[in-house]
């Protein structure tokens, strides 16, 4: 059994997930994990897949692309499941940013995370109907004692850029927020 990470992008159209799934079944593949979204009319998906017999990444990409009559970009790399995680274990937190859209917001916040060796597990960004830029990051903080310092640094960035930036433990975020994906979607 061989494992692969597969990234796919294309102009959005119905049936992409079905076509990818069909191609993988034909290769005796099994999807183990996947994440997919659509941004501004473009489809993006990344998945972890087992395939019964080892194949060249280019051959896997070609098999998937042949399922479609339009331009689909497929990148495949072998997955090394034996490598040690680069990121330390820790607690999950949610960072939310809201304010007027301008260049540099995401750069400032993510650079702070990188400097503090905080891993971004998931990210969602969009401009809402009020032309405000919205960022939601799920991050892992290895040392919870550093939370107060990080919170102050995020507030400083928010004040400097005119953004409201908050960080809270994931459990608190879930307990105090009811998110509707329909409301978050950028129309």
């Amino acid at each position: 059994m061989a494992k692969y990470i597969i990234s796919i992008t294309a102009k959005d159209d119905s049936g992409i997930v079905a076509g990818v799934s069909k191609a993988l079944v034909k290769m005796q593949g099994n999807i183990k994990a996947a994440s997919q979204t659509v941004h501004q009319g473009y489809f993006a998906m990344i998945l972890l897949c087992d395939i019964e017999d080892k194949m060249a990444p280019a051959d896997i990409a070609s098999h998937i692309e042949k399922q479609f009559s339009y331009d689909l970009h497929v990148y495949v790399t072998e997955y090394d499941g034996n490598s040690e995680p680069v990121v330390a274990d820790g607690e999950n937190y949610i960072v939310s940013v809201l304010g007027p859209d301008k260049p540099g917001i995401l750069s400032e916040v993510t650079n702070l995370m990188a400097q503090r060796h905080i891993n971004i597990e998931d990210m969602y960004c969009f401009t809402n109907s009020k032309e405000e830029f919205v960022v939601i990051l799920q991050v892992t903080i290895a040392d919870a004692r550093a939370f107060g310092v990080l919170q102050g640094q995020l507030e400083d960035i928010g004040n400097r850029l005119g953004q409201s930036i908050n960080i809270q433990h994931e459990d608190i975020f879930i307990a105090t927020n009811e998110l509707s994906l329909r409301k978050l979607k950028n129309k």
Side-chain angles (χ1 to χ4, degrees):
M1 184 79 55
K3 294 184 179 295
Y4 300 91
I5 295 289
I6 303 171
S7 301
I8 300 159
T9 58
K11 276 192 167 183
D12 190 32
D13 195 5
S14 61
I16 296 174
V17 175
V20 170
S21 300
K22 182 178 179 180
L24 291 170
V25 167
K26 286 181 180 179
M27 290 181 276
Q28 297 180 344
N30 184 33
I31 297 172
K32 303 303 275 183
S35 180
Q36 178 265 316
T37 192
V38 175
H39 285 289
Q40 302 295 318
Y42 280 83
F43 172 95
M45 181 177 184
I46 186 167
L47 55 92
L48 171 63
C49 180
D50 289 343
I51 296 182
E52 191 67 35
D53 297 319
K54 186 173 177 132
M55 297 176 67
D59 291 340
I60 296 169
S62 177
H63 282 291
I64 293 170
E65 290 166 348
K66 286 179 184 175
Q67 292 293 317
F68 300 91
S69 61
Y70 49 86
D71 199 17
L72 191 83
H73 304 277
V74 181
Y75 175 77
V76 180
T77 188
E78 289 186 49
Y79 174 73
D80 179 9
N82 297 323
S83 61
E84 291 294 317
V86 179
V87 179
D89 288 334
E91 295 286 321
N92 288 335
Y93 290 82
I94 303 296
V95 177
S96 57
V97 180
L98 176 66
D101 190 13
K102 63 174 99 173
I105 298 167
L106 190 59
S107 176
E108 289 271 346
V109 173
T110 58
N111 277 316
L112 174 62
M113 299 298 159
Q115 290 167 4
R116 297 190 55 82
H117 304 285
I118 295 171
N119 193 50
I120 299 171
E121 302 289 338
D122 205 354
M123 177 178 75
Y124 191 73
C125 308
F126 61 95
T127 303
N128 67 19
S129 60
K130 298 177 186 175
E131 294 301 312
E132 297 169 313
F133 190 57
V134 179
V135 179
I136 300 171
L137 303 174
Q138 179 187 13
V139 300
T140 301
I141 300 176
D143 183 2
R145 295 172 293 179
F147 174 79
V149 173
L150 176 63
Q151 188 174 30
Q153 291 174 316
L154 288 168
E155 287 174 7
D156 290 345
I157 291 171
N159 291 335
R160 191 171 70 254
L161 296 177
Q163 305 293 307
S164 171
I165 303 179
N166 298 299
I167 182 170
Q168 54 192 204
H169 193 277
E170 182 180 61
D171 293 343
I172 295 170
F173 181 83
I174 291 169
T176 60
N177 290 277
E178 184 178 326
L179 294 180
S180 169
L181 293 178
R182 284 177 281 217
K183 289 180 184 175
L184 289 177
K185 241 185 196 179
N186 187 7
K187 303 248 178 196

